[in-house]
């Protein structure tokens, strides 16, 4: 396909807008299922944290309940990624939802030991990257590999950020009305509804590849293929590394609010500022910019997106802090162009594993970034830690952009790069 950028080409044409995505019937089912399962996960996380604390009165175990939502991503996304390509996507998505529903059903049984509750939380978290990666790959079947795919991914990402903002509020209100087990019971319905929407609202399609090895070997082989290819490696690192640094202010929001003498309300505003900036920027980029322009801004925005954190050096008050956080959040809109690069580069037979690995790695590096920011704050003032994250993150991002340019991370066309498959394609 031609990559000419004149005004008459699709690349230079204005965005079709998000409305075009919702005109695809299958996507509407995926969207509704995504919203339901996401709310189910968020509410169950809150309710389970409260339930564990009520049963143990241990702040450590209560906090561990949240941490266990991130830690298994690396294991699930690395060792089980082969599921996304080996089995039909619809079947994988429905089974993942049913596994989560079964875990929740056991959680609500009175007398379930705390150890079992935590183990079930780990299982749900291990399933999550397989579900997300499979859904991302399935979107290319539903929406194609071009503009609609990018906008569809953008919608799901915006919903995820919005649901996190709303979900914690809804979960908190819900817990004033029903018990923690009652709130978890409601999430059982969301997982089952999501499974039904995916089963009856999307088409059955064959698996992308037939497994010729054990699942674990197949999954690890997929990871090796992704990192052995210079272009794919550069692209996946562009997703991961800036995200590792961008979470520093979020991890340190409470101590920073205390440092500037702000109250709980200010802390809530600080936690919301970055997602609000990201949602606003992504909506604008997805609506107003052409696919060609979105591709052109990936490198410059990725390189400078963390610069607002340098403003923390003066320990600014609440107003300036909120502005800095919103600017940093807005910088994340470069991922729309990066989404298109990734889907154009990854071969179809590898797509499910590559996207599962990308999702798992993203959650893992964010968790690592939060932990490292917290560790650094034990030795240096909080505002210096955030400033350092901005300086170091900008340097790392600039080096990564330099490498990505040399690797040709921006595809010249829309055809996936030729990579020889060690498996028979399905």
């Amino acid at each position: 396909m031609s990559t000419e950028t004149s005004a008459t080409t699709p690349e230079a044409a204005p965005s079709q807008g998000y409305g075009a995505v919702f005109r695809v019937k299958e996507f509407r089912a995926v969207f509704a299922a995504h919203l339901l399962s996401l709310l189910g996960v968020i509410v169950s996380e809150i309710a389970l944290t409260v339930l564990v604390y009520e049963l143990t009165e241990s702040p450590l175990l209560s906090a561990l309940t949240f941490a266990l939502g991130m830690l298994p991503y690396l294991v699930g996304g690395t060792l089980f990624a082969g599921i996304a390509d080996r089995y039909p996507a619809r079947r994988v998505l429905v089974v993942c939802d049913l596994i989560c529903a079964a875990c929740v059903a056991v959680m609500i049984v009175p007398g379930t030991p705390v150890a079992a509750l935590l183990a079930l939380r780990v299982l749900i978290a291990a399933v999550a990257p397989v579900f997300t990666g499979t859904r991302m790959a399935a979107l290319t079947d539903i929406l194609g590999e071009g503009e609609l795919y990018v906008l569809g991914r953008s919608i799901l990402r915006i919903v995820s950020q919005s649901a996190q903002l709303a979900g914690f509020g809804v979960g908190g209100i819900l817990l004033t009305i029903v018990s923690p087990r009652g709130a978890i019971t409601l999430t059982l319905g969301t997982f089952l509804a999501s499974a039904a929407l995916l089963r009856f609202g999307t088409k059955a399609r064959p698996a992308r590849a037939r497994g010729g090895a054990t699942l674990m070997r197949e999954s690890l082989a997929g990871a090796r293929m992704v990192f052995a290819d210079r272009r794919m490696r550069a692209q996946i690192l562009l997703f991961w590394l800036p995200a590792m640094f961008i979470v520093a202010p979020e991890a340190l929001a409470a101590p920073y609010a205390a440092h500037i003498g702000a109250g709980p309300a200010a802390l809530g505003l600080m936690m919301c500022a970055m997602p609000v900036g990201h949602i606003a920027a992504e909506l604008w980029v997805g609506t107003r910019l052409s696919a060609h322009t979105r591709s052109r801004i990936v490198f410059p925005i990725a390189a400078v997106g963390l610069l607002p954190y340098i403003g923390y050096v003066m320990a600014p008050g609440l107003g300036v802090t909120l502005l800095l956080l919103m600017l940093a959040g807005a910088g994340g809109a470069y991922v729309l162009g990066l989404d298109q690069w990734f889907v154009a580069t990854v071969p179809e037979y590898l797509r499910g594993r590559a996207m599962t690995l990308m999702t798992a790695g993203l959650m893992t590096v964010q968790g690592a970034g939060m932990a490292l920011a917290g560790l650094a704050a034990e030795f240096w003032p909080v505002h210096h830690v955030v400033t350092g994250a901005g300086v170091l993150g900008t340097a790392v991002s600039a080096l990564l952009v330099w490498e990505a340019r040399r690797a040709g991370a921006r595809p010249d066309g829309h055809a996936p790069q030729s990579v020889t498959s060690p498996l028979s394609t399905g």
Side-chain angles (χ1 to χ4, degrees), residues 284-316:
W284 187 82
V285 169
T287 303
R288 304 297 298 175
L289 300 186
S290 69
H292 176 66
T293 303
R294 289 197 297 263
S295 182
R296 291 186 64 184
I297 67 173
V298 171
F299 285 146
I301 299 301
V304 303
L306 291 162
L307 282 177
Y309 288 174
I310 297 177
Y312 268 78
V313 69
M314 301 301 294

Side-chain angles (χ1 to χ4, degrees), residues 17 58 66 85 98 139 378 394 416:
S58 168
F66 262 121
D85 289 320
L98 293 179
L139 281 182
E378 292 289 326
T394 298

Side-chain angles (χ1 to χ4, degrees), residues 317-334:
L318 180 61
V320 174
T321 299
L322 294 178
L323 177 61
L324 295 175
L325 290 171
M326 284 190 287
L327 287 173
Y334 76 89

Side-chain angles (χ1 to χ4, degrees), residues 47 174-175 177-184:
L174 190 60
L175 288 172
I177 302 172
V178 299
S179 68
R181 277 200 169 90
I184 295 173

Side-chain angles (χ1 to χ4, degrees), residues 57-415:
E57 297 186 355
S58 168
L60 174 61
L61 289 177
S62 180
L64 184 61
T65 306
F66 262 121
L68 289 176
M70 279 189 173
L71 296 179
Y73 261 76
L74 181 61
V75 176
T78 303
L79 301 184
F80 305 140
I83 293 173
D85 289 320
R86 177 180 283 201
Y87 302 102
R90 187 176 72 174
R91 185 190 307 170
V92 173
L93 295 174
V94 171
V95 169
C96 285
D97 265 335
L98 293 179
I99 289 173
C100 292
C103 290
V104 169
V106 177
M107 286 178 182
I108 62 179
V109 175
T112 302
V114 172
L117 293 174
L118 296 178
L120 292 167
R121 180 75 185 93
V122 168
L123 181 56
I124 291 175
V127 166
V130 177
F131 180 91
T132 304
T134 303
R135 185 185 59 209
M136 287 171 61
L139 281 182
T140 62
D141 299 323
I142 295 170
L143 299 174
E145 301 177 6
E147 172 81 348
L148 290 184
Y149 169 80
V150 173
L151 294 179
R153 280 279 297 127
S154 174
I155 288 171
L156 297 186
R157 192 161 43 236
I158 289 170
V159 168
S160 295
Q161 298 233 1
S162 302
Q164 287 177 5
L165 296 177
F168 287 119
V170 170
I173 294 171
L174 190 60
L175 288 172
T176 66
I177 302 172
V178 299
S179 68
R181 277 200 169 90
I184 295 173
T185 302
L186 293 178
T187 68
L188 174 61
T190 65
F191 285 123
L192 292 175
S194 174
L197 282 165
L198 293 169
R199 171 61 182 82
F200 300 107
T202 61
K203 296 178 182 177
R205 294 179 174 88
R208 287 184 170 79
R210 291 193 300 272
T214 64
L215 176 61
M216 189 175 298
R217 287 182 61 188
E218 193 174 319
S219 300
L220 293 175
R224 285 195 295 270
M225 282 188 280
V226 169
F227 282 100
D229 184 280
R230 191 178 183 187
R231 293 176 73 189
M232 284 191 279
R233 182 173 65 245
Q235 289 168 358
I236 207 167
L237 290 177
L238 278 171
F239 280 111
W240 288 357
L241 294 186
M244 183 172 69
F245 293 96
I246 203 168
V247 297
E250 184 179 9
L252 301 175
Y256 186 75
H259 178 74
I260 63 174
L267 175 60
L269 289 173
M270 289 167 60
M271 295 296 288
C272 292
M274 195 184 304
V276 167
H278 182 92
I279 291 168
E282 186 150 347
L283 284 171
W284 187 82
V285 169
T287 303
R288 304 297 298 175
L289 300 186
S290 69
H292 176 66
T293 303
R294 289 197 297 263
S295 182
R296 291 186 64 184
I297 67 173
V298 171
F299 285 146
I301 299 301
V304 303
L306 291 162
L307 282 177
Y309 288 174
I310 297 177
Y312 268 78
V313 69
M314 301 301 294
L318 180 61
V320 174
T321 299
L322 294 178
L323 177 61
L324 295 175
L325 290 171
M326 284 190 287
L327 287 173
Y334 76 89
V335 296
L336 274 82
L338 190 56
D339 277 335
Q340 183 58 58
W341 295 4
F342 200 52
V343 76
T345 302
V346 178
E348 185 179 4
Y349 70 85
L350 185 60
R351 197 166 286 159
R353 283 169 289 172
M355 292 184 174
T356 300
L357 179 66
M358 189 269 282
T359 301
L362 185 61
M363 289 296 292
T364 302
V365 299
Q366 286 180 318
M370 289 182 176
L372 290 172
L375 178 62
E378 292 289 326
F379 302 96
W380 293 284
V382 173
H383 63 290
H384 288 169
V385 173
V386 178
T387 303
V391 173
L392 182 59
T394 298
V396 169
S397 297
L399 287 172
L400 181 57
V401 165
W402 176 74
E403 164 59 18
R405 284 185 184 276
R406 293 185 62 195
R410 177 181 176 179
D412 294 327
H414 292 284

